[in-house]
Amino acid sequence: MPLSARFWKTYAVLALLGLLLLAAPNLIWWLSASPSERAWLLARYPFLLVLIVLVLGGIYALWLHVYQTHVRPIDQLTDAIHQVLDGHTLPPLPQASTRELRKLQEAVTELARRHRLHSTTPAAAPLHRERNLLATLLGELPEAVLVCRTSGQILLYNETARRLLETPEHPGAIGLGRSIFHSLDRDLIVFALDELAYRLRQQHPRPTVHFATCLPSGQLVRVQAAPIRDEADRLETFMLLLQPLRSEAEPFEIIRGADLLQALDLQLREAGVSLQLEGVTGTLWLRVRLPEAFEALRRLAFQLHQETSCTQLLARTTSENGRVHLWLRPLDGHPQALERLQPYVQEPSLQALLQEHQATLQLDGEALRLTLPASPPPHSGAARAFLPGPSAARRPIYADLSLLETSEATPLDDRPLRSLIYTVFDTETTGLHPEQGDEIIAIGAVRIVGGRIRPEETFDQLVNPRRPISLDSVRVHGIQPVLLQDKPPIEEVLPRFYRFARDTMLVGHNVAFDLKFIRQKEKALGLHFDQPVLDTMLLAAVVDPERQHYGLDELAAAFGIEPVGRHSALGDALITAELLLRLLPLLEQRGIHTLRQAREAIQQSRPARNRYGRIS
């Protein structure tokens, strides 16, 4: 078993003291001895060497026994206490070799029991009731609810928001600590914050903002933004309520022309018609009745497609004198057939809608021109200082307001490990050698936010490797080739995992193996996983350098983690996530609090030196 540097340093001191005790009387005797007595002693120097070796060996054996029966068990009990204080279950304790250690173990076990009882006392019941009430209220709301920082970081969302904003192509689009800009355009949030800041300065009695937009899925939604002010009356967080547009008549809403055309483009694609945009920017705002106005625009575009047999349409917008002009022109087919739309343009229902909007619709050469009033954001720029640069199962409600405790201005390397957002992942593969053609067949991941595993924010996908799987690999993970035949290839899955994991730290166990497979695909797919990476195997070596093996099974057993789902990608990711949370208090106990300190400690760990070389 490898022994720590502390063991060898202590042994060196004990050995030196033992040699000094052995040498002192002999030195005194040497100084007072006659020449014949000194010669007699020198003639027996082999016996002296054997004596020295026996003394050093005896000191080593005695110190090793004391270390293994007293020092190391006490260290393990200390780590177990820190595990309990951090809210984890008591890990398996080492077998006591003395009566004193056995009594100490009994005290630790009783401490863990009382701590568990204390954490579930009636005093905590009101807090649990309030949280359950809040979860029930938000879970029953038909609207999607999100609370975000002005930088876009999500602090809370409910299940309706997750269902509305996530799609199979964009799993994990929202999540605690993620950016709302992955789901809603940044300019929209800027507009909302500008309006909120202006209304707060004007002391408006209801400082809320209403607008409509188009989600990446093509769905039009109504959005309400409301400020959440802090103790200093500053706008640092805000709430968003999102609701799909209903079919019944709705009041006028402001919406960007770009969002209307984006929704139209997605509708036309289903009919095999492509929409090319020209001059369409996010600064053109309209005030229209939704969804009637969009339905009329959609019918107009489909009528244009049917009458002219076009498969490509050009949408061009201009703005002048407070009016927005939208041209729809067929790029192929029979543009001369445009006159056939005249009866449709003259329909009473359409004319009534145009009149209600103070708009006009007319034929203009080989194009249709729709003109209506513009509605520019009146208070743009009022809140720009709030935003960073562009780089920057029971009625569940997902919230972590502890994210507010860490300033986003703090460099990543200097942030506490507990404040970081982690994506803990694992892969299953056809074999061990990606350079020889082995492929990923499963990716599983879970997020850790605020020091807690978020089982509602997971990624779990099988992958079609398009190659045979070795029998040895099947024996390990149990994934039969027939299960992968209808699954998407890695070219589809890895970009989805990339979107799931961005803005977070990557964590894995023996993660260099998983990264080797991912790096093989990055260049071809135009991806680059450039976030920092932590390896729980190396962190365990920092915490316990004397351990012989750092396999996931051995560490799970040592920390009392139940290995549910072992050798499945998501199962191993969940075990690794639990292991990371068990390691964090032990790292802090050893003075390792920030990401920078953890990375420096990893560089000095024995596995990093022996197997990995330098870890970047």
Side-chain angles (χ1 to χ4, degrees):
M1 179 187 74
L3 296 169
S4 65
R6 180 183 60 170
F7 173 88
W8 291 112
K9 289 179 181 177
T10 306
Y11 171 69
V13 172
L14 292 175
L16 182 61
L17 290 175
L19 291 176
L20 288 176
L21 290 175
L22 179 65
N26 287 283
L27 180 61
I28 295 174
W29 180 83
W30 176 273
L31 294 175
S32 61
S34 64
S36 60
E37 291 174 331
R38 292 179 181 178
W40 176 86
L41 182 62
L42 290 175
R44 287 159 177 77
Y45 73 90
F47 171 77
L48 295 176
L49 292 178
V50 172
L51 181 61
I52 291 173
V53 170
L54 290 175
V55 170
L56 294 177
I59 293 174
Y60 174 84
L62 180 62
W63 170 231
L64 181 62
H65 174 74
V66 172
Y67 186 82
Q68 291 180 336
T69 57
H70 289 78
V71 178
R72 182 162 170 77
I74 291 176
D75 285 343
Q76 291 172 326
L77 284 173
T78 303
D79 288 346
I81 293 173
H82 281 277
Q83 294 279 303
V84 172
L85 294 177
D86 205 56
H88 302 292
T89 58
L90 184 68
L93 298 178
Q95 184 176 1
S97 57
T98 65
R99 185 172 63 88
E100 291 79 9
L101 275 176
R102 190 159 44 252
K103 293 175 65 176
L104 184 57
Q105 284 186 355
E106 292 171 357
V108 170
T109 303
E110 178 64 17
L111 172 65
R113 188 185 68 82
R114 295 188 183 185
H115 186 271
R116 184 173 62 254
L117 290 175
H118 178 72
S119 63
T120 56
T121 53
L127 179 61
H128 290 299
R129 283 197 298 268
E130 291 179 6
R131 187 186 185 283
N132 290 336
L133 177 61
L134 176 62
T136 301
L137 291 174
L138 290 181
E140 294 294 341
L141 285 177
E143 296 90 356
V145 181
L146 301 103
V147 174
C148 307
R149 299 177 88 164
T150 51
S151 62
Q153 188 181 48
I154 298 173
L155 304 176
L156 174 150
Y157 65 94
N158 64 355
E159 177 66 12
T160 308
R162 188 190 65 79
R163 291 198 305 264
L164 182 65
L165 297 177
E166 285 192 354
T167 63
E169 294 76 24
H170 297 81
I174 67 170
L176 298 176
R178 306 293 305 282
S179 176
I180 189 62
F181 301 147
H182 297 325
S183 301
L184 295 179
D185 189 82
R186 182 179 182 274
D187 288 339
L188 279 175
I189 305 301
V190 171
F191 158 73
L193 291 177
D194 284 344
E195 291 296 301
L196 292 177
Y198 175 80
R199 297 185 184 203
L200 288 173
R201 289 171 185 169
Q202 298 298 315
Q203 298 184 349
H204 196 282
R206 295 190 63 188
T208 59
V209 179
H210 299 262
F211 59 92
T213 188
C214 177
L215 298 179
S217 62
Q219 185 172 18
L220 288 169
V221 296
R222 176 171 290 102
V223 183
Q224 177 180 345
I228 301 175
R229 289 169 284 187
D230 62 7
E231 296 81 359
D233 209 35
R234 294 172 300 186
L235 175 60
E236 290 195 347
T237 57
F238 63 98
M239 180 173 65
L240 292 175
L241 298 178
L242 290 80
Q243 189 174 34
L245 290 173
R246 297 189 294 269
S247 57
E248 60 265 23
E250 297 285 353
F252 279 79
E253 298 280 1
I254 59 171
I255 186 172
R256 297 185 303 178
D259 286 341
L260 268 181
L261 292 176
Q262 178 188 351
L264 178 63
D265 179 34
L266 293 171
Q267 291 274 338
L268 291 174
R269 287 182 190 178
E270 297 178 1
V273 181
S274 63
L275 186 67
Q276 298 184 21
L277 306 182
E278 181 180 301
V280 179
T281 67
T283 59
L284 287 179
W285 287 78
L286 308 172
R287 187 174 179 272
V288 297
R289 182 184 290 279
L290 293 171
E292 290 91 337
F294 174 74
E295 179 61 21
L297 181 62
R298 186 190 68 83
R299 289 181 56 198
L300 182 64
F302 273 103
Q303 196 78 16
L304 186 61
H305 158 62
Q306 292 176 355
E307 295 295 343
T308 64
S309 301
C310 66
T311 58
Q312 298 183 67
L313 277 175
L314 174 69
R316 184 168 66 89
T317 60
T318 61
S319 177
E320 58 180 355
N321 299 325
R323 308 283 288 180
V324 174
H325 303 281
L326 167 63
W327 280 271
L328 286 176
R329 181 168 66 86
L331 295 178
D332 58 358
H334 309 287
Q336 64 276 7
L338 199 64
E339 295 180 357
R340 299 177 187 172
L341 270 76
Q342 192 67 39
Y344 173 74
V345 173
Q346 298 302 325
E347 282 185 3
S349 60
L350 180 58
Q351 288 296 319
L353 188 63
L354 291 172
Q355 184 177 2
E356 186 180 18
H357 285 78
Q358 301 178 10
T360 61
L361 176 65
Q362 58 190 10
L363 300 176
D364 189 349
E366 294 185 347
L368 278 173
R369 184 178 67 177
L370 175 65
T371 303
L372 63 168
S375 180
H379 310 115
S380 102
R384 297 299 167 106
F386 293 142
L387 290 170
S391 62
R394 176 203 61 195
R395 296 189 181 96
I397 126 175
Y398 314 120
D400 198 320
L401 302 185
S402 67
L403 294 169
L404 289 168
E405 298 173 3
T406 302
S407 170
E408 293 183 312
T410 306
L412 185 62
D413 267 351
D414 295 328
R415 295 185 186 181
L417 291 170
R418 288 183 184 269
S419 72
L420 298 175
I421 303 171
Y422 301 96
T423 294
V424 187
F425 78 105
D426 185 67
T427 64
E428 302 296 340
T429 63
T430 61
L432 305 178
H433 307 289
E435 67 280 359
Q436 297 177 15
D438 281 320
E439 297 282 350
I440 293 174
I441 60 172
I443 301 179
V446 63
R447 290 198 188 106
I448 292 178
V449 185
R452 287 189 294 165
I453 297 173
R454 303 291 176 169
E456 69 278 2
E457 298 184 10
T458 58
F459 185 97
D460 188 16
Q461 180 63 60
L462 295 176
V463 183
N464 187 346
R466 295 176 293 194
R467 61 154 291 164
I469 306 177
S470 70
L471 186 59
D472 289 339
S473 296
V474 174
R475 289 195 185 103
V476 172
H477 48 61
I479 301 176
Q480 298 292 337
V482 67
L483 298 175
L484 307 176
Q485 292 177 358
D486 61 342
K487 302 306 179 185
I490 193 65
E491 290 78 12
E492 295 182 23
V493 175
L494 196 58
R496 288 165 51 192
F497 176 63
Y498 174 81
R499 290 189 289 269
F500 179 87
R502 64 183 168 185
D503 303 332
T504 68
M505 292 271 301
L506 282 178
V507 178
H509 194 79
N510 192 15
V511 72
F513 174 82
D514 306 281
L515 287 177
K516 188 165 59 170
F517 281 84
I518 290 176
R519 302 295 187 210
Q520 286 280 110
K521 301 295 182 181
E522 281 185 326
K523 186 175 181 181
L525 299 179
L527 304 174
H528 183 44
F529 289 79
D530 57 354
Q531 60 263 67
V533 181
L534 287 179
D535 191 331
T536 50
M537 183 182 73
L538 301 182
L539 291 175
V542 171
V543 167
D544 189 358
E546 298 176 6
R547 180 174 293 278
Q548 184 69 37
H549 301 291
Y550 296 97
L552 192 57
D553 289 320
E554 290 84 1
L555 291 172
F559 284 97
I561 302 170
E562 188 176 357
V564 177
R566 184 72 173 101
H567 293 304
S568 68
L570 181 57
D572 285 357
L574 288 167
I575 296 171
T576 303
E578 182 66 33
L579 175 60
L580 175 65
L581 294 182
R582 297 295 188 105
L583 291 171
L584 288 181
L586 304 185
L587 290 167
E588 293 172 351
Q589 181 191 353
R590 289 154 176 79
I592 300 170
H593 300 274
T594 66
L595 176 59
R596 185 191 309 278
Q597 292 170 332
R599 297 172 78 172
E600 290 174 352
I602 281 175
Q603 297 283 3
Q604 304 304 319
S605 66
R606 178 169 52 87
R609 294 195 307 267
N610 295 346
R611 292 184 56 187
Y612 289 81
R614 296 292 290 176
I615 306 299
S616 58

